[in-house]
Amino acid sequence: MGTIVVIGGGEISELETLGIDREVVKLTHKPNPKALFIPTASSDAPGYCDTFNKVYGDILGCETSHLLLVSQNYTHEEITDLITSADLIYVGGGNTRKMLEIWRNTGVDTLLKEAYTSGTVLAGLSAGSICWFEYGHSDSEAFDDQGEWQYIKIEAMGILSGIHCPHYNEDTRVEDFSRMVNGGSVTGIAVDNNCAIVYKENEYKVMSTRDEAKAYRVMDSEQGVMITEIEQHPSYKPLHELYGAL
């Protein structure tokens, strides 16, 4: 079991998640860790890369690098070297469906699973938080269709159990995620912007950079879909409590 930091959302460029980002770096237990940014979901947006360099490099003291799978071509060996040499890997937001398709075609998904088991700290926001779960509540259709679109259920990498909804406090996600969880047996893990869940081995904790930012467990039951807040504690709690029955 490794470490994954699931960030629900927030503007990293505005330093909204800086407290969470600082925890990501701290989890490596290194003074100047090697931090790899994977911005596949945003089609390798240059401004996003600059922001990562500023926050994780200039502010948090990491040695930063980027894996640009959309705008550059790599050999498999080059991709492997970038991933295996990183102390932490941060996945950016954007089009989750497109990102996962590219990862499967390039073998990045397999390499990330291996990085997880080898102890690399994994983190990400939005698409970069969905990817670690079995399934995700995704707005990927919004990137493909300029007209009407719907949230869709996406199959992700399955390192973490459950179906995940980032940006839970945005738009109609609360209602739509309940619809998606209804009738299923998979636990929903919903996270607001400026909030994160740290999965560390067999334990977890919730942290946020705003008092109103929360995380929730969303489960189907005989009484219908039940939504309960996942309480924040300064110390880690046993992971089985996160997925406990209501």
Side-chain angles (χ1 to χ4, degrees):
M1 302 283 290
T3 301
I4 298 179
V5 183
V6 173
I7 308 169
E11 291 295 335
I12 184 174
S13 62
E14 302 295 328
L15 306 184
E16 288 185 354
T17 59
L18 185 60
I20 297 167
D21 298 320
R22 186 173 282 113
E23 179 70 12
V24 172
V25 174
K26 182 180 177 182
L27 285 164
T28 67
H29 302 293
K30 295 188 176 183
N32 303 105
K34 295 180 178 179
L36 175 64
F37 182 46
I38 307 182
T40 314
S42 65
S43 297
D44 299 343
Y48 207 171
C49 294
D50 292 342
T51 293
F52 184 79
N53 289 341
K54 173 188 173 184
V55 175
Y56 276 80
D58 298 343
I59 297 175
L60 298 177
C62 296
E63 178 185 331
T64 60
S65 59
H66 309 135
L67 178 57
L68 306 177
L69 296 168
V70 177
S71 58
Q72 294 187 22
N73 293 316
Y74 300 87
T75 65
H76 184 70
E77 290 73 20
E78 288 172 330
I79 294 174
T80 302
D81 287 344
L82 279 168
I83 290 176
T84 57
S85 64
D87 299 307
L88 76 86
I89 297 171
Y90 186 106
V91 179
N95 188 335
T96 311
R97 180 167 59 187
K98 175 185 176 182
M99 176 185 74
L100 289 170
E101 180 180 345
I102 292 172
W103 285 5
R104 288 164 183 146
N105 290 338
T106 55
V108 166
D109 57 341
T110 299
L111 290 168
L112 289 174
K113 291 176 183 177
E114 293 172 355
Y116 171 73
T117 58
S118 70
T120 305
V121 175
L122 306 178
L125 179 151
S126 191
S129 61
I130 288 175
C131 61
W132 315 114
F133 287 84
E134 294 176 274
Y135 304 98
H137 179 269
S138 172
D139 61 0
S140 290
E141 284 198 347
F143 294 89
D144 302 328
D145 187 352
Q146 298 304 311
E148 292 187 7
W149 58 274
Q150 294 181 330
Y151 291 109
I152 58 173
K153 182 179 180 180
I154 281 185
E155 183 175 354
M157 292 197 293
I159 299 175
L160 301 177
S161 297
I163 178 169
H164 171 56
C165 178
H167 307 296
Y168 190 57
N169 56 327
E170 282 188 11
D171 306 321
T172 59
R173 282 177 166 87
V174 172
E175 295 81 9
D176 200 88
F177 191 48
S178 292
R179 176 194 59 79
M180 193 173 287
V181 170
N182 186 33
S185 58
V186 179
T187 301
I189 302 294
V191 184
D192 288 342
N193 292 343
N194 307 303
C195 184
I197 303 177
V198 183
Y199 289 77
K200 185 180 178 184
E201 298 176 355
N202 287 308
E203 298 179 315
Y204 80 95
K205 72 175 179 180
V206 176
M207 60 183 303
S208 65
T209 55
R210 288 183 179 173
D211 290 341
E212 65 272 22
K214 311 287 186 182
Y216 301 88
R217 182 191 304 110
V218 184
M219 295 179 68
D220 193 31
S221 72
E222 292 181 357
Q223 293 77 38
V225 175
M226 305 290 287
I227 302 171
T228 54
E229 181 183 337
I230 303 168
E231 293 186 12
Q232 296 189 34
H233 299 275
S235 58
Y236 285 89
K237 304 281 285 183
L239 186 60
H240 68 83
E241 294 183 8
L242 181 62
Y243 295 93
L246 295 174

PDB file of all heavy atoms in Angstrom, residues 207-240:
ATOM      1  N   MET A 207      -8.184  16.681   4.960  1.00  0.00           N
ATOM      2  CA  MET A 207      -7.647  18.009   5.267  1.00  0.00           C
ATOM      3  C   MET A 207      -8.208  19.015   4.278  1.00  0.00           C
ATOM      4  O   MET A 207      -8.591  18.659   3.161  1.00  0.00           O
ATOM      5  CB  MET A 207      -6.115  18.000   5.219  1.00  0.00           C
ATOM      6  CG  MET A 207      -5.510  17.624   3.885  1.00  0.00           C
ATOM      7  SD  MET A 207      -3.701  17.569   3.941  1.00  0.00           S
ATOM      8  CE  MET A 207      -3.299  19.229   4.489  1.00  0.00           C
ATOM      9  N   SER A 208      -8.295  20.266   4.692  1.00  0.00           N
ATOM     10  CA  SER A 208      -8.842  21.290   3.806  1.00  0.00           C
ATOM     11  C   SER A 208      -8.149  22.617   4.053  1.00  0.00           C
ATOM     12  O   SER A 208      -7.546  22.838   5.111  1.00  0.00           O
ATOM     13  CB  SER A 208     -10.351  21.448   4.009  1.00  0.00           C
ATOM     14  OG  SER A 208     -10.633  21.941   5.309  1.00  0.00           O
ATOM     15  N   THR A 209      -8.242  23.498   3.073  1.00  0.00           N
ATOM     16  CA  THR A 209      -7.666  24.838   3.197  1.00  0.00           C
ATOM     17  C   THR A 209      -8.752  25.896   3.404  1.00  0.00           C
ATOM     18  O   THR A 209      -8.436  27.085   3.446  1.00  0.00           O
ATOM     19  CB  THR A 209      -6.836  25.179   1.943  1.00  0.00           C
ATOM     20  OG1 THR A 209      -7.654  25.031   0.770  1.00  0.00           O
ATOM     21  CG2 THR A 209      -5.622  24.257   1.829  1.00  0.00           C
ATOM     22  N   ARG A 210      -9.991  25.446   3.509  1.00  0.00           N
ATOM     23  CA  ARG A 210     -11.105  26.328   3.856  1.00  0.00           C
ATOM     24  C   ARG A 210     -12.023  25.581   4.801  1.00  0.00           C
ATOM     25  O   ARG A 210     -12.285  24.391   4.616  1.00  0.00           O
ATOM     26  CB  ARG A 210     -11.895  26.761   2.612  1.00  0.00           C
ATOM     27  CG  ARG A 210     -11.163  27.751   1.713  1.00  0.00           C
ATOM     28  CD  ARG A 210     -12.038  28.188   0.561  1.00  0.00           C
ATOM     29  NE  ARG A 210     -11.354  29.148  -0.300  1.00  0.00           N
ATOM     30  CZ  ARG A 210     -11.835  29.599  -1.449  1.00  0.00           C
ATOM     31  NH1 ARG A 210     -13.026  29.183  -1.866  1.00  0.00           N
ATOM     32  NH2 ARG A 210     -11.144  30.455  -2.179  1.00  0.00           N
ATOM     33  N   ASP A 211     -12.537  26.285   5.814  1.00  0.00           N
ATOM     34  CA  ASP A 211     -13.365  25.629   6.827  1.00  0.00           C
ATOM     35  C   ASP A 211     -14.591  24.955   6.225  1.00  0.00           C
ATOM     36  O   ASP A 211     -15.025  23.904   6.704  1.00  0.00           O
ATOM     37  CB  ASP A 211     -13.808  26.643   7.886  1.00  0.00           C
ATOM     38  CG  ASP A 211     -12.655  27.118   8.759  1.00  0.00           C
ATOM     39  OD1 ASP A 211     -11.624  26.426   8.798  1.00  0.00           O
ATOM     40  OD2 ASP A 211     -12.792  28.188   9.386  1.00  0.00           O
ATOM     41  N   GLU A 212     -15.162  25.569   5.185  1.00  0.00           N
ATOM     42  CA  GLU A 212     -16.400  25.033   4.615  1.00  0.00           C
ATOM     43  C   GLU A 212     -16.162  23.894   3.628  1.00  0.00           C
ATOM     44  O   GLU A 212     -17.118  23.267   3.149  1.00  0.00           O
ATOM     45  CB  GLU A 212     -17.194  26.144   3.921  1.00  0.00           C
ATOM     46  CG  GLU A 212     -16.517  26.742   2.696  1.00  0.00           C
ATOM     47  CD  GLU A 212     -15.592  27.902   3.005  1.00  0.00           C
ATOM     48  OE1 GLU A 212     -15.132  28.012   4.162  1.00  0.00           O
ATOM     49  OE2 GLU A 212     -15.322  28.702   2.092  1.00  0.00           O
ATOM     50  N   ALA A 213     -14.914  23.609   3.308  1.00  0.00           N
ATOM     51  CA  ALA A 213     -14.589  22.544   2.343  1.00  0.00           C
ATOM     52  C   ALA A 213     -14.592  21.191   3.047  1.00  0.00           C
ATOM     53  O   ALA A 213     -13.874  20.998   4.028  1.00  0.00           O
ATOM     54  CB  ALA A 213     -13.242  22.812   1.695  1.00  0.00           C
ATOM     55  N   LYS A 214     -15.387  20.257   2.535  1.00  0.00           N
ATOM     56  CA  LYS A 214     -15.598  18.972   3.199  1.00  0.00           C
ATOM     57  C   LYS A 214     -15.426  17.796   2.227  1.00  0.00           C
ATOM     58  O   LYS A 214     -15.363  17.971   1.013  1.00  0.00           O
ATOM     59  CB  LYS A 214     -17.016  18.901   3.785  1.00  0.00           C
ATOM     60  CG  LYS A 214     -17.449  20.097   4.627  1.00  0.00           C
ATOM     61  CD  LYS A 214     -16.760  20.131   5.965  1.00  0.00           C
ATOM     62  CE  LYS A 214     -17.323  21.256   6.830  1.00  0.00           C
ATOM     63  NZ  LYS A 214     -16.635  21.350   8.137  1.00  0.00           N
ATOM     64  N   ALA A 215     -15.400  16.604   2.817  1.00  0.00           N
ATOM     65  CA  ALA A 215     -15.442  15.356   2.053  1.00  0.00           C
ATOM     66  C   ALA A 215     -16.617  14.528   2.575  1.00  0.00           C
ATOM     67  O   ALA A 215     -16.992  14.635   3.749  1.00  0.00           O
ATOM     68  CB  ALA A 215     -14.137  14.583   2.196  1.00  0.00           C
ATOM     69  N   TYR A 216     -17.192  13.710   1.697  1.00  0.00           N
ATOM     70  CA  TYR A 216     -18.412  12.982   2.040  1.00  0.00           C
ATOM     71  C   TYR A 216     -18.360  11.544   1.550  1.00  0.00           C
ATOM     72  O   TYR A 216     -17.769  11.239   0.506  1.00  0.00           O
ATOM     73  CB  TYR A 216     -19.642  13.663   1.417  1.00  0.00           C
ATOM     74  CG  TYR A 216     -19.833  15.093   1.856  1.00  0.00           C
ATOM     75  CD1 TYR A 216     -19.221  16.134   1.156  1.00  0.00           C
ATOM     76  CD2 TYR A 216     -20.614  15.397   2.964  1.00  0.00           C
ATOM     77  CE1 TYR A 216     -19.389  17.450   1.556  1.00  0.00           C
ATOM     78  CE2 TYR A 216     -20.789  16.716   3.373  1.00  0.00           C
ATOM     79  CZ  TYR A 216     -20.170  17.738   2.656  1.00  0.00           C
ATOM     80  OH  TYR A 216     -20.325  19.041   3.062  1.00  0.00           O
ATOM     81  N   ARG A 217     -19.033  10.679   2.303  1.00  0.00           N
ATOM     82  CA  ARG A 217     -19.281   9.311   1.867  1.00  0.00           C
ATOM     83  C   ARG A 217     -20.710   9.269   1.337  1.00  0.00           C
ATOM     84  O   ARG A 217     -21.645   9.731   2.010  1.00  0.00           O
ATOM     85  CB  ARG A 217     -19.127   8.351   3.050  1.00  0.00           C
ATOM     86  CG  ARG A 217     -19.306   6.877   2.701  1.00  0.00           C
ATOM     87  CD  ARG A 217     -19.402   6.016   3.956  1.00  0.00           C
ATOM     88  NE  ARG A 217     -18.256   6.173   4.831  1.00  0.00           N
ATOM     89  CZ  ARG A 217     -18.295   6.770   6.016  1.00  0.00           C
ATOM     90  NH1 ARG A 217     -19.426   7.304   6.453  1.00  0.00           N
ATOM     91  NH2 ARG A 217     -17.223   6.862   6.762  1.00  0.00           N
ATOM     92  N   VAL A 218     -20.891   8.740   0.133  1.00  0.00           N
ATOM     93  CA  VAL A 218     -22.207   8.680  -0.507  1.00  0.00           C
ATOM     94  C   VAL A 218     -22.509   7.215  -0.811  1.00  0.00           C
ATOM     95  O   VAL A 218     -21.805   6.588  -1.597  1.00  0.00           O
ATOM     96  CB  VAL A 218     -22.234   9.532  -1.798  1.00  0.00           C
ATOM     97  CG1 VAL A 218     -23.636   9.542  -2.403  1.00  0.00           C
ATOM     98  CG2 VAL A 218     -21.765  10.964  -1.516  1.00  0.00           C
ATOM     99  N   MET A 219     -23.543   6.680  -0.178  1.00  0.00           N
ATOM    100  CA  MET A 219     -23.827   5.249  -0.317  1.00  0.00           C
ATOM    101  C   MET A 219     -25.316   5.013  -0.531  1.00  0.00           C
ATOM    102  O   MET A 219     -26.161   5.720   0.028  1.00  0.00           O
ATOM    103  CB  MET A 219     -23.371   4.495   0.939  1.00  0.00           C
ATOM    104  CG  MET A 219     -21.877   4.522   1.181  1.00  0.00           C
ATOM    105  SD  MET A 219     -21.398   3.636   2.697  1.00  0.00           S
ATOM    106  CE  MET A 219     -21.778   1.940   2.247  1.00  0.00           C
ATOM    107  N   ASP A 220     -25.603   3.978  -1.309  1.00  0.00           N
ATOM    108  CA  ASP A 220     -26.991   3.556  -1.485  1.00  0.00           C
ATOM    109  C   ASP A 220     -27.399   2.703  -0.291  1.00  0.00           C
ATOM    110  O   ASP A 220     -26.578   1.975   0.279  1.00  0.00           O
ATOM    111  CB  ASP A 220     -27.128   2.756  -2.781  1.00  0.00           C
ATOM    112  CG  ASP A 220     -28.581   2.570  -3.184  1.00  0.00           C
ATOM    113  OD1 ASP A 220     -29.392   3.459  -2.888  1.00  0.00           O
ATOM    114  OD2 ASP A 220     -28.909   1.533  -3.789  1.00  0.00           O
ATOM    115  N   SER A 221     -28.647   2.803   0.104  1.00  0.00           N
ATOM    116  CA  SER A 221     -29.157   2.020   1.231  1.00  0.00           C
ATOM    117  C   SER A 221     -30.631   1.730   1.003  1.00  0.00           C
ATOM    118  O   SER A 221     -31.235   2.215   0.047  1.00  0.00           O
ATOM    119  CB  SER A 221     -28.972   2.793   2.546  1.00  0.00           C
ATOM    120  OG  SER A 221     -29.891   3.877   2.614  1.00  0.00           O
ATOM    121  N   GLU A 222     -31.220   0.965   1.912  1.00  0.00           N
ATOM    122  CA  GLU A 222     -32.647   0.662   1.796  1.00  0.00           C
ATOM    123  C   GLU A 222     -33.488   1.921   1.943  1.00  0.00           C
ATOM    124  O   GLU A 222     -34.614   1.990   1.458  1.00  0.00           O
ATOM    125  CB  GLU A 222     -33.044  -0.362   2.860  1.00  0.00           C
ATOM    126  CG  GLU A 222     -32.441  -1.749   2.630  1.00  0.00           C
ATOM    127  CD  GLU A 222     -32.883  -2.741   3.684  1.00  0.00           C
ATOM    128  OE1 GLU A 222     -33.616  -2.334   4.613  1.00  0.00           O
ATOM    129  OE2 GLU A 222     -32.497  -3.925   3.572  1.00  0.00           O
ATOM    130  N   GLN A 223     -32.934   2.936   2.592  1.00  0.00           N
ATOM    131  CA  GLN A 223     -33.651   4.194   2.771  1.00  0.00           C
ATOM    132  C   GLN A 223     -33.346   5.205   1.660  1.00  0.00           C
ATOM    133  O   GLN A 223     -33.797   6.351   1.716  1.00  0.00           O
ATOM    134  CB  GLN A 223     -33.280   4.829   4.120  1.00  0.00           C
ATOM    135  CG  GLN A 223     -33.761   4.060   5.336  1.00  0.00           C
ATOM    136  CD  GLN A 223     -32.912   2.825   5.624  1.00  0.00           C
ATOM    137  OE1 GLN A 223     -31.696   2.874   5.460  1.00  0.00           O
ATOM    138  NE2 GLN A 223     -33.552   1.744   6.045  1.00  0.00           N
ATOM    139  N   GLY A 224     -32.590   4.763   0.662  1.00  0.00           N
ATOM    140  CA  GLY A 224     -32.181   5.654  -0.417  1.00  0.00           C
ATOM    141  C   GLY A 224     -30.720   6.034  -0.276  1.00  0.00           C
ATOM    142  O   GLY A 224     -29.999   5.495   0.564  1.00  0.00           O
ATOM    143  N   VAL A 225     -30.272   6.969  -1.074  1.00  0.00           N
ATOM    144  CA  VAL A 225     -28.877   7.392  -1.036  1.00  0.00           C
ATOM    145  C   VAL A 225     -28.633   8.225   0.220  1.00  0.00           C
ATOM    146  O   VAL A 225     -29.343   9.181   0.501  1.00  0.00           O
ATOM    147  CB  VAL A 225     -28.510   8.202  -2.301  1.00  0.00           C
ATOM    148  CG1 VAL A 225     -27.092   8.758  -2.196  1.00  0.00           C
ATOM    149  CG2 VAL A 225     -28.651   7.337  -3.545  1.00  0.00           C
ATOM    150  N   MET A 226     -27.608   7.834   0.976  1.00  0.00           N
ATOM    151  CA  MET A 226     -27.256   8.501   2.223  1.00  0.00           C
ATOM    152  C   MET A 226     -25.918   9.229   2.060  1.00  0.00           C
ATOM    153  O   MET A 226     -24.946   8.653   1.571  1.00  0.00           O
ATOM    154  CB  MET A 226     -27.144   7.477   3.357  1.00  0.00           C
ATOM    155  CG  MET A 226     -28.396   6.627   3.546  1.00  0.00           C
ATOM    156  SD  MET A 226     -29.788   7.552   4.222  1.00  0.00           S
ATOM    157  CE  MET A 226     -29.234   7.748   5.904  1.00  0.00           C
ATOM    158  N   ILE A 227     -25.886  10.497   2.453  1.00  0.00           N
ATOM    159  CA  ILE A 227     -24.681  11.323   2.355  1.00  0.00           C
ATOM    160  C   ILE A 227     -24.232  11.681   3.765  1.00  0.00           C
ATOM    161  O   ILE A 227     -24.988  12.267   4.536  1.00  0.00           O
ATOM    162  CB  ILE A 227     -24.956  12.613   1.558  1.00  0.00           C
ATOM    163  CG1 ILE A 227     -25.467  12.276   0.154  1.00  0.00           C
ATOM    164  CG2 ILE A 227     -23.686  13.462   1.472  1.00  0.00           C
ATOM    165  CD1 ILE A 227     -25.962  13.496  -0.620  1.00  0.00           C
ATOM    166  N   THR A 228     -23.006  11.293   4.122  1.00  0.00           N
ATOM    167  CA  THR A 228     -22.481  11.610   5.446  1.00  0.00           C
ATOM    168  C   THR A 228     -21.112  12.261   5.314  1.00  0.00           C
ATOM    169  O   THR A 228     -20.287  11.842   4.496  1.00  0.00           O
ATOM    170  CB  THR A 228     -22.346  10.352   6.323  1.00  0.00           C
ATOM    171  OG1 THR A 228     -21.562   9.381   5.637  1.00  0.00           O
ATOM    172  CG2 THR A 228     -23.707   9.759   6.633  1.00  0.00           C
ATOM    173  N   GLU A 229     -20.874  13.276   6.119  1.00  0.00           N
ATOM    174  CA  GLU A 229     -19.573  13.950   6.097  1.00  0.00           C
ATOM    175  C   GLU A 229     -18.493  13.022   6.654  1.00  0.00           C
ATOM    176  O   GLU A 229     -18.714  12.316   7.643  1.00  0.00           O
ATOM    177  CB  GLU A 229     -19.623  15.231   6.918  1.00  0.00           C
ATOM    178  CG  GLU A 229     -18.309  15.998   6.927  1.00  0.00           C
ATOM    179  CD  GLU A 229     -18.345  17.237   7.807  1.00  0.00           C
ATOM    180  OE1 GLU A 229     -19.461  17.757   8.054  1.00  0.00           O
ATOM    181  OE2 GLU A 229     -17.266  17.678   8.252  1.00  0.00           O
ATOM    182  N   ILE A 230     -17.347  13.019   6.002  1.00  0.00           N
ATOM    183  CA  ILE A 230     -16.180  12.299   6.504  1.00  0.00           C
ATOM    184  C   ILE A 230     -15.417  13.284   7.395  1.00  0.00           C
ATOM    185  O   ILE A 230     -14.875  14.275   6.912  1.00  0.00           O
ATOM    186  CB  ILE A 230     -15.285  11.796   5.358  1.00  0.00           C
ATOM    187  CG1 ILE A 230     -16.092  10.906   4.397  1.00  0.00           C
ATOM    188  CG2 ILE A 230     -14.092  11.021   5.908  1.00  0.00           C
ATOM    189  CD1 ILE A 230     -15.379  10.606   3.098  1.00  0.00           C
ATOM    190  N   GLU A 231     -15.410  13.037   8.676  1.00  0.00           N
ATOM    191  CA  GLU A 231     -14.880  14.001   9.628  1.00  0.00           C
ATOM    192  C   GLU A 231     -13.372  14.216   9.462  1.00  0.00           C
ATOM    193  O   GLU A 231     -12.634  13.293   9.103  1.00  0.00           O
ATOM    194  CB  GLU A 231     -15.171  13.543  11.058  1.00  0.00           C
ATOM    195  CG  GLU A 231     -16.652  13.555  11.414  1.00  0.00           C
ATOM    196  CD  GLU A 231     -16.870  13.234  12.884  1.00  0.00           C
ATOM    197  OE1 GLU A 231     -15.883  13.225  13.647  1.00  0.00           O
ATOM    198  OE2 GLU A 231     -18.030  12.992  13.250  1.00  0.00           O
ATOM    199  N   GLN A 232     -12.971  15.445   9.715  1.00  0.00           N
ATOM    200  CA  GLN A 232     -11.557  15.778   9.691  1.00  0.00           C
ATOM    201  C   GLN A 232     -10.940  15.528  11.062  1.00  0.00           C
ATOM    202  O   GLN A 232     -11.506  15.917  12.085  1.00  0.00           O
ATOM    203  CB  GLN A 232     -11.356  17.243   9.289  1.00  0.00           C
ATOM    204  CG  GLN A 232     -11.827  17.552   7.876  1.00  0.00           C
ATOM    205  CD  GLN A 232     -11.414  18.939   7.423  1.00  0.00           C
ATOM    206  OE1 GLN A 232     -10.356  19.431   7.777  1.00  0.00           O
ATOM    207  NE2 GLN A 232     -12.263  19.559   6.614  1.00  0.00           N
ATOM    208  N   HIS A 233      -9.783  14.858  11.057  1.00  0.00           N
ATOM    209  CA  HIS A 233      -9.034  14.607  12.280  1.00  0.00           C
ATOM    210  C   HIS A 233      -7.571  14.955  12.013  1.00  0.00           C
ATOM    211  O   HIS A 233      -7.075  14.762  10.900  1.00  0.00           O
ATOM    212  CB  HIS A 233      -9.143  13.135  12.695  1.00  0.00           C
ATOM    213  CG  HIS A 233     -10.532  12.674  12.984  1.00  0.00           C
ATOM    214  ND1 HIS A 233     -11.134  12.843  14.201  1.00  0.00           N
ATOM    215  CD2 HIS A 233     -11.453  12.051  12.195  1.00  0.00           C
ATOM    216  CE1 HIS A 233     -12.358  12.340  14.167  1.00  0.00           C
ATOM    217  NE2 HIS A 233     -12.580  11.852  12.963  1.00  0.00           N
ATOM    218  N   PRO A 234      -6.867  15.449  13.014  1.00  0.00           N
ATOM    219  CA  PRO A 234      -5.451  15.769  12.815  1.00  0.00           C
ATOM    220  C   PRO A 234      -4.585  14.540  12.587  1.00  0.00           C
ATOM    221  O   PRO A 234      -3.531  14.623  11.950  1.00  0.00           O
ATOM    222  CB  PRO A 234      -5.063  16.482  14.119  1.00  0.00           C
ATOM    223  CG  PRO A 234      -6.064  16.021  15.129  1.00  0.00           C
ATOM    224  CD  PRO A 234      -7.338  15.816  14.360  1.00  0.00           C
ATOM    225  N   SER A 235      -5.036  13.402  13.093  1.00  0.00           N
ATOM    226  CA  SER A 235      -4.280  12.164  12.919  1.00  0.00           C
ATOM    227  C   SER A 235      -5.005  11.239  11.943  1.00  0.00           C
ATOM    228  O   SER A 235      -6.164  11.451  11.595  1.00  0.00           O
ATOM    229  CB  SER A 235      -4.107  11.459  14.270  1.00  0.00           C
ATOM    230  OG  SER A 235      -5.373  11.182  14.843  1.00  0.00           O
ATOM    231  N   TYR A 236      -4.293  10.203  11.506  1.00  0.00           N
ATOM    232  CA  TYR A 236      -4.850   9.249  10.550  1.00  0.00           C
ATOM    233  C   TYR A 236      -5.821   8.290  11.244  1.00  0.00           C
ATOM    234  O   TYR A 236      -5.671   7.978  12.432  1.00  0.00           O
ATOM    235  CB  TYR A 236      -3.734   8.456   9.880  1.00  0.00           C
ATOM    236  CG  TYR A 236      -2.980   9.240   8.843  1.00  0.00           C
ATOM    237  CD1 TYR A 236      -1.864   9.994   9.198  1.00  0.00           C
ATOM    238  CD2 TYR A 236      -3.378   9.241   7.512  1.00  0.00           C
ATOM    239  CE1 TYR A 236      -1.163  10.734   8.255  1.00  0.00           C
ATOM    240  CE2 TYR A 236      -2.688   9.971   6.563  1.00  0.00           C
ATOM    241  CZ  TYR A 236      -1.581  10.717   6.927  1.00  0.00           C
ATOM    242  OH  TYR A 236      -0.900  11.443   5.993  1.00  0.00           O
ATOM    243  N   LYS A 237      -6.813   7.835  10.477  1.00  0.00           N
ATOM    244  CA  LYS A 237      -7.809   6.885  10.959  1.00  0.00           C
ATOM    245  C   LYS A 237      -7.724   5.613  10.110  1.00  0.00           C
ATOM    246  O   LYS A 237      -7.283   5.653   8.957  1.00  0.00           O
ATOM    247  CB  LYS A 237      -9.214   7.483  10.831  1.00  0.00           C
ATOM    248  CG  LYS A 237      -9.379   8.828  11.539  1.00  0.00           C
ATOM    249  CD  LYS A 237      -9.574   8.673  13.018  1.00  0.00           C
ATOM    250  CE  LYS A 237     -10.976   8.183  13.320  1.00  0.00           C
ATOM    251  NZ  LYS A 237     -11.230   8.091  14.791  1.00  0.00           N
ATOM    252  N   PRO A 238      -8.164   4.469  10.645  1.00  0.00           N
ATOM    253  CA  PRO A 238      -8.134   3.227   9.862  1.00  0.00           C
ATOM    254  C   PRO A 238      -8.960   3.355   8.581  1.00  0.00           C
ATOM    255  O   PRO A 238     -10.077   3.876   8.601  1.00  0.00           O
ATOM    256  CB  PRO A 238      -8.749   2.193  10.812  1.00  0.00           C
ATOM    257  CG  PRO A 238      -8.530   2.759  12.179  1.00  0.00           C
ATOM    258  CD  PRO A 238      -8.644   4.249  12.024  1.00  0.00           C
ATOM    259  N   LEU A 239      -8.417   2.859   7.494  1.00  0.00           N
ATOM    260  CA  LEU A 239      -9.056   3.029   6.191  1.00  0.00           C
ATOM    261  C   LEU A 239     -10.433   2.381   6.125  1.00  0.00           C
ATOM    262  O   LEU A 239     -11.331   2.898   5.466  1.00  0.00           O
ATOM    263  CB  LEU A 239      -8.149   2.465   5.088  1.00  0.00           C
ATOM    264  CG  LEU A 239      -8.601   2.697   3.645  1.00  0.00           C
ATOM    265  CD1 LEU A 239      -8.718   4.192   3.344  1.00  0.00           C
ATOM    266  CD2 LEU A 239      -7.650   2.036   2.666  1.00  0.00           C
ATOM    267  N   HIS A 240     -10.606   1.283   6.822  1.00  0.00           N
ATOM    268  CA  HIS A 240     -11.903   0.596   6.747  1.00  0.00           C
ATOM    269  C   HIS A 240     -13.037   1.482   7.262  1.00  0.00           C
ATOM    270  O   HIS A 240     -14.188   1.308   6.864  1.00  0.00           O
ATOM    271  CB  HIS A 240     -11.860  -0.733   7.503  1.00  0.00           C
ATOM    272  CG  HIS A 240     -11.737  -0.599   8.991  1.00  0.00           C
ATOM    273  ND1 HIS A 240     -12.823  -0.371   9.815  1.00  0.00           N
ATOM    274  CD2 HIS A 240     -10.654  -0.663   9.805  1.00  0.00           C
ATOM    275  CE1 HIS A 240     -12.419  -0.300  11.075  1.00  0.00           C
ATOM    276  NE2 HIS A 240     -11.101  -0.468  11.095  1.00  0.00           N
TER     277      HIS A 240
END
